[in-house]
Amino acid sequence: MQDELNKMNETINSDDILEKYGITEYNASDIIKDFDDAVAFKEEQARIFKILDAADQSNIWKVYNRRIPNYVQTPVNNPITVIKEATKASIMPTSYSGDFRALSLSSKQLAHKANRYFQMKWEQSDMDSFNNQAADYAFLHGTSGVLFGWDKDIVEANDTHINLGLQKKSPLQVKVYHPSNIFPDPSAETVDEMNYLFFSERKTRSFLKSIPRFANSKALIEYAADSVGQTNFNYVPDKDKQFQSDVVTFLTCYKKVFREKINPITGILETVPTIDIIYMAGRTILDISKDITPNRIPFVPLYDEKVPNNFWGISKCYKVLSLVLTLNQLDSTEATAYFKHQNPPEFINLMANLNLAEYQNKRDNPDKAFIVSCDPKAVQSYAERPELPKNLDAFRQYLIQTIQNISGVDAAYLGASYGSIQTTGGVQEALNRSTMRDSNRIKEIDKFIKEELNMMIEFFIAHGQREQFFDMPASPNKEASGELLDFDPIELLGRQDIAIVVSNTAPRSNASYEEAAMKLMELQMKYLPSQHGYADFITPEELVGWLNIPKAQQNVLIDRMKMQAENLKLEEYTAVLTAIGTLTQGGMTPEQAIQEIVKQVENSKMAGLPATPMQQQ
């Protein structure tokens, strides 16, 4: 077996893989140079990521200042995790929130089917979970994102020969990478502008050899020189795991290539940009997916705060990092000061002729006596340490207050009770503060989710098929009222009369919408616009949609309201038929009976009474 691998290794190399796919636009050296350029450009950014990870994991002392004397106390004051978690909890949506809105009457049915279809695909792909993971990275490091693929584009456990019982719910693949494992083109600010984008992972050689698409590259995997192994800058507590002999750096490169292709419409040969996916172990190419569709790098970035002219964003956590480090050093100084004052440097008089080793070992023994050759009072003395500044607590409060002001995370923001927050005005002030500070971040999340949905649409248009599915209502008591829908994603191709609308359901921002919706419903109940020929201010379904409750409960309430409306209509129709029957039995013709019922309905509306003429019969 070893001889066979050696023979394969002699005959197969990266250039052979390129030749296999007929690729002449670039070679292995070009790819390696691109990666080296991306690594060099990112060196300082990677160091920051490492420090932020260490702060979030309360390991900042081990990373930022590794050589710590034994006597130094290292308490961990960790606002970084609080800021990250509070930001995510405040503004990150907890459920599917992208919708298709029909802009014309002819697109209404298509928009309805697309809504149900992509909500189903969103849930099948577990997008909410991936977005939650991306938010963890983005709100700590400033940058994260979601990579999309179709079927075998993204190498994962489901692709192995071994049946692990992991069944794919959807051919659409989704993956989130730690920002330290993302290496963008240094010359570009946005993904669409990039000529290449690398993703780095640490994989075992045995895992890579179990991937079917790498079956012909097993020898390359076995002997891949892991010369890029040090590029994984992510802080990992278990350092041994990074340098095992079986572990290799696995790279996935999305590269923009300009190729000559015949335009199917004009029949003219044109040079157009296309995207190749290049899979590498170390610096060795294993396989290539040529000219993928959709024809774009399928990565959607998420930012805490976008920085102009830079791919990398910035986070609240980074903005307060230096303050957090100062706060930790201050805590350490104060905690260590007590120990230092109890154990100051000691000076021993040489004229005493003491055995220093014995003295140091037994000086705290209350039963020990030492013989000295001089005045015992002149044997030893201690260094005097300066007292800690009197304003130390004031300086600590200054640091904490500054961190709160920059991040927007304070006791009121986190829902804790203090001072005026117990009053109505205090609660509203805290709510307004959080919403104002995070309004731009909420818009960034809306943009992120909209782009994710756009990416899903492009993948399903390119690879999806017509599909029949049963749209089940949320209420378990209405199984029979589900809707059988037939949808082909390609129907969305080129449609300009359907728009994607994203409404963020963040807990903080949604509170004000809920309050506004309730006020509209109160006004509607007071003035009854529909009874005077005007449209309702807000429908019951819209009211439920703005309530700050989970999506599943919203669907249940909407189903129940629809059921109640249907029952009321049935009662009214029955009453109308009964009333018409009563009038015809009294001698009226059916036409006269209907006109009489219509007249009674109009009179009841003018009088401001419910339109139930049947009760008058």
Side-chain angles (χ1 to χ4, degrees), residues 335-346 363-364 382-383 385:
T336 304
Y338 296 100
F339 177 84
K340 287 181 177 179
H341 279 286
Q342 292 298 317
N343 299 275
E346 189 174 358
R363 66 179 178 173
D364 293 328
Y382 294 95
R385 293 187 178 277

Side-chain angles (χ1 to χ4, degrees), residues 583-601:
L583 293 176
T584 53
Q585 290 178 1
M588 287 187 179
T589 64
E591 292 78 7
Q592 292 174 331
I594 292 174
Q595 291 177 357
E596 179 64 24
I597 294 297
V598 170
K599 186 184 299 183
Q600 291 181 15
V601 170

Side-chain angles (χ1 to χ4, degrees), residues 360-529:
Q360 288 289 333
N361 188 38
K362 299 180 178 179
R363 66 179 178 173
D364 293 328
N365 189 339
D367 298 326
K368 184 62 179 176
F370 297 95
I371 299 175
V372 297
S373 300
C374 65
D375 184 356
K377 294 181 180 180
V379 170
Q380 66 178 165
S381 64
Y382 294 95
E384 293 185 4
R385 293 187 178 277
E387 295 292 332
L388 293 176
K390 300 298 183 183
N391 63 344
L392 196 65
D393 284 338
F395 183 53
R396 175 186 288 103
Q397 290 305 315
Y398 162 76
L399 291 174
I400 294 174
Q401 185 64 42
T402 305
I403 291 171
Q404 292 174 352
N405 288 338
I406 294 175
S407 67
V409 177
D410 56 17
Y413 193 95
L414 297 174
S417 298
Y418 77 100
S420 64
I421 192 65
Q422 296 291 343
T423 66
T424 302
V427 173
Q428 188 61 44
E429 183 179 352
L431 178 61
N432 291 340
R433 179 184 181 188
S434 65
T435 304
M436 175 188 67
R437 283 180 174 271
D438 289 324
S439 59
N440 289 332
R441 287 178 170 84
I442 291 173
K443 293 175 183 176
E444 195 68 40
I445 293 172
D446 289 349
K447 178 182 176 182
F448 166 69
I449 293 178
K450 182 176 181 178
E451 187 59 28
E452 281 188 315
L453 196 52
N454 271 320
M455 188 71 73
M456 290 181 68
I457 292 170
E458 289 186 32
F459 267 98
F460 278 97
I461 287 177
H463 304 283
Q465 303 292 330
R466 178 174 292 277
E467 187 174 348
Q468 282 192 341
F469 61 100
F470 197 65
D471 180 38
M472 292 294 294
S475 174
N477 298 323
K478 294 190 64 181
E479 294 184 3
S481 64
E483 186 178 7
L484 181 63
L485 298 176
D486 182 275
F487 179 72
D488 189 348
I490 204 170
E491 294 178 33
L492 292 174
L493 187 63
R495 295 299 293 252
Q496 301 296 322
D497 54 353
I498 295 179
I500 296 177
V501 180
V502 175
S503 58
N504 194 294
T505 56
R508 288 287 185 182
S509 61
N510 198 46
S512 58
Y513 298 139
E514 178 178 340
E515 181 181 359
M518 294 297 292
K519 288 182 178 179
L520 283 175
M521 181 56 73
E522 290 176 5
L523 290 172
Q524 182 165 298
M525 294 175 67
K526 180 178 180 180
Y527 294 106
L528 302 174

